Amino acid sequence: MAAGLCPAAAFCAGLGTTLDRARFPAELLIVQGDLQRLTFSDRLSSDERLGLEGRIGSALGGLEWLALEHEALSQSTVSRDALQGLQESWSARDLSSALEWVSGLTWDHALNARIFSPERATPDDVQRVREIDARLCQGCHVDSVGTEKRLPAYRLQKMGKMISAGEFLARLLSGVRGTADTALANPLSLGDIRGFMKFYRESPAD
């Protein structure tokens, strides 16, 4: 899965056009994070590295479509030179150049994190996501960095503190999937996202 989070069947309002507007900036943050781990982490297993490479390649394959959607929704322009530079750098496995290109794109098309701020989470939001986590998330998210898996599901409390708040938010937005009843769309509500950001970023890592 593009964002490295396993499917969750949570039945709630969903994010609607809020998610549509966030999709391209979120995908850029995820690619940036994956490139950073490939470039700088010495703790990854060979399988994890292969999984990251596959996930980056898959993400880049859909980036042009996401850019078109983003332009239509935000009335902004995405640099095709930057997209091409990112693609070409990745094809050549020039990780530093690819990271430079994607970092420039994330700067130009920043994810609007304010509306998802954990400071806006209510006590009910946090209690609801605590229950979702116990019922749906903990069964899959059991892995640690260095595991011999191509697409490990890392422990979310640890993951929430290992990576930036922006990247973690991006993975919540892009990585959670619903059921066939929701056409596999992210079923989480705005309150759920805020609650998860507060719960995972502030709770003690196990």
Side-chain angles (χ1 to χ4, degrees):
M1 200 158 304
L5 297 172
C6 72
F11 301 100
C12 44
L15 292 163
T17 57
T18 301
L19 178 59
D20 293 337
R21 292 178 181 277
R23 211 186 314 271
F24 178 66
E27 196 69 15
L28 291 174
L29 281 169
I30 292 166
V31 172
Q32 181 185 47
D34 285 345
L35 281 167
Q36 288 171 337
R37 274 177 283 288
L38 271 183
T39 303
F40 301 116
S41 178
D42 58 1
R43 298 174 55 201
L44 297 175
S45 69
S46 57
D47 280 341
E48 283 175 301
R49 296 188 70 85
L50 285 172
L52 283 172
E53 290 177 357
R55 197 162 66 201
I56 292 169
S58 176
L60 294 185
L63 210 54
E64 174 67 27
W65 181 86
L66 291 178
L68 290 171
E69 178 188 54
H70 183 69
E71 288 175 328
L73 291 171
S74 66
Q75 302 301 306
S76 63
T77 301
V78 177
S79 169
R80 292 312 187 269
D81 288 342
L83 288 178
Q84 183 176 349
L86 173 57
Q87 296 279 3
E88 291 176 352
S89 296
W90 174 248
S91 295
R93 292 303 187 269
D94 185 343
L95 299 185
S96 61
S97 177
L99 186 53
E100 184 176 344
W101 280 114
V102 76
S103 296
L105 284 163
T106 60
W107 177 266
D108 291 338
H109 306 282
L111 177 61
N112 179 9
R114 292 189 303 275
I115 61 173
F116 303 104
S117 170
E119 300 304 317
R120 297 188 179 188
T122 67
D124 285 346
D125 291 334
V126 176
Q127 180 57 36
R128 185 172 61 254
V129 301
R130 190 187 301 273
E131 293 170 359
I132 294 173
D133 175 72
R135 190 172 73 250
L136 298 171
C137 304
Q138 290 185 22
C140 292
H141 288 273
V142 298
D143 297 320
S144 299
V145 174
T147 188
E148 293 295 336
K149 292 182 180 179
R150 291 199 177 190
L151 290 176
Y154 298 124
R155 295 179 185 276
L156 292 171
Q157 279 82 359
K158 287 187 176 180
M159 187 178 179
K161 294 171 177 60
M162 285 167 40
I163 63 180
S164 71
E167 184 188 345
F168 190 71
L169 170 60
R171 292 178 184 277
L172 279 175
L173 293 172
S174 292
V176 177
R177 296 290 181 266
T179 65
D181 292 334
T182 64
L184 303 183
N186 189 325
L188 299 179
S189 69
L190 187 57
D192 293 335
I193 297 294
R194 291 169 176 169
F196 275 124
M197 289 295 290
K198 189 174 185 68
F199 179 59
Y200 288 136
R201 298 277 299 174
E202 297 181 6
S203 61
D206 55 4

